[in-house]
Amino acid sequence: MILPDGYSDIPAGKIAAIVTHLEMTARPAHRADPAGSWSLRKVDAPALTWYRDLFRRVGENWLWFSRARMSDAELAAIIHAAGIEVYALVVDGRDEGLLELDFREPGQCELVYFGVTGNLIGTGAARFLMNRALEIAWSRDVRRVWVHTCTLDHPSALAFYQRSGFRAFRRQIELAADPRLDGTLPRDAARHVPIID
Ligand SMILES: CC(C)(COP(=O)(O)OP(=O)(O)OC[C@H]1O[C@@H](n2cnc3c(N)ncnc32)[C@H](O)[C@@H]1OP(=O)(O)O)[C@@H](O)C(=O)NCCC(=O)NCCS
């Protein structure tokens, strides 16, 4: 369906976002790591409670709901699938950033989830995490690395990805049931996005 020009009503109880898809088809120029004592840890066969906790701490303020809404069986089927790799950014022994890579499509890598917890935003930790993500992705037999971000994500995300070497190629509108209305996320999450019900 093609939306008409002009304003379109979003039904009460739903959220809406503009999604931008970005890609790179060659290894980008190296960017220096900011100074900081971060490290990356590969998490094989992540425990569901561990994954849910980190996903929530990184994404709740940005209304990340997709994985939070899944049953344990659905979540395990994805994050334990062959070709999915989950990494944690470690700070002072704590997992404070999430990187999930999807190599299931031959020749491609999708950054499925990428983010750091609130205290680390704007500290250089995300640049460290992106440098590691691109090193891992481009060390494999890939021709394309891609990611998408939406207007509910942190406002720096799109420019951050562009500086990282990604080029925008597709724009979509995504509608979804507001995850704060069905118990997926707490009602007071993401106060900057008002609930309209
Ligand atoms: C969106 C997000 C990835 C953006 O990252 P950020 O926090 O602004 O990124 P950083 O602070 O690591 O880096 C920003 C810039 O400041 C620089 N910087 C920050 N602190 C620095 C420091 N102490 N010393 C030197 N440089 C520093 C970085 O090098 C970087 O510059 P560059 O992009 O030109 O290399 C991050 O905010 C985030 O994870 N948000 C929550 C989840 C989210 O929305 N994820 C995206 C969903 S798709």
Side-chain angles (χ1 to χ4, degrees):
M1 186 188 79
I2 298 178
L3 287 173
D5 284 354
Y7 295 100
S8 296
D9 273 327
I10 306 298
K14 290 197 181 276
I15 51 172
I18 296 173
V19 183
T20 304
H21 298 247
L22 305 102
E23 65 182 356
M24 55 172 73
T25 54
R27 190 188 289 259
H30 172 78
R31 298 186 83 91
D33 280 344
S37 47
W38 310 292
S39 60
L40 189 74
R41 176 170 86 90
K42 185 166 192 283
V43 186
D44 292 316
L48 301 189
T49 48
W50 171 86
Y51 183 94
R52 286 189 190 284
D53 174 66
L54 186 56
F55 186 90
R56 181 189 63 73
R57 288 189 293 119
V58 171
E60 186 171 279
N61 196 39
W62 317 108
L63 294 183
W64 290 11
F65 61 83
S66 55
R67 296 286 163 83
R69 198 168 257 166
M70 288 178 174
S71 69
D72 283 355
E74 290 167 333
L75 181 60
I78 288 202
I79 66 174
H80 297 161
I84 299 287
E85 298 185 11
V86 176
Y87 297 84
L89 175 82
V90 185
V91 189
D92 295 332
R94 294 191 315 275
D95 296 325
E96 297 290 340
L98 176 64
L99 168 65
E100 186 174 325
L101 302 177
D102 184 348
F103 289 100
R104 290 178 297 178
E105 191 83 19
Q108 311 215 16
C109 175
E110 179 186 359
L111 271 60
V112 189
Y113 287 102
F114 180 94
V116 299
T117 57
N119 286 343
L120 289 182
I121 291 173
T123 65
R127 175 55 57 202
F128 172 89
L129 188 61
M130 179 58 77
N131 284 350
R132 301 294 82 73
L134 294 176
E135 278 169 14
I136 295 166
W138 285 106
S139 70
R140 310 292 173 79
D141 183 20
V142 298
R143 297 178 303 279
R144 176 175 181 260
V145 179
W146 68 285
V147 66
H148 60 73
T149 181
C150 80
T151 44
L152 293 167
D153 286 327
H154 187 281
S156 299
L158 186 52
F160 177 90
Y161 289 137
Q162 290 176 298
R163 288 198 306 281
S164 304
F166 290 93
R167 185 188 60 84
F169 69 95
R170 183 179 191 190
R171 185 176 284 138
Q172 295 179 300
I173 291 178
E174 180 186 19
L175 267 59
D178 191 322
R180 299 164 296 187
L181 295 175
D182 64 4
T184 303
L185 297 182
R187 196 159 169 114
D188 62 356
R191 289 177 188 275
H192 57 284
V193 182
I195 293 175
I196 299 177
D197 59 359

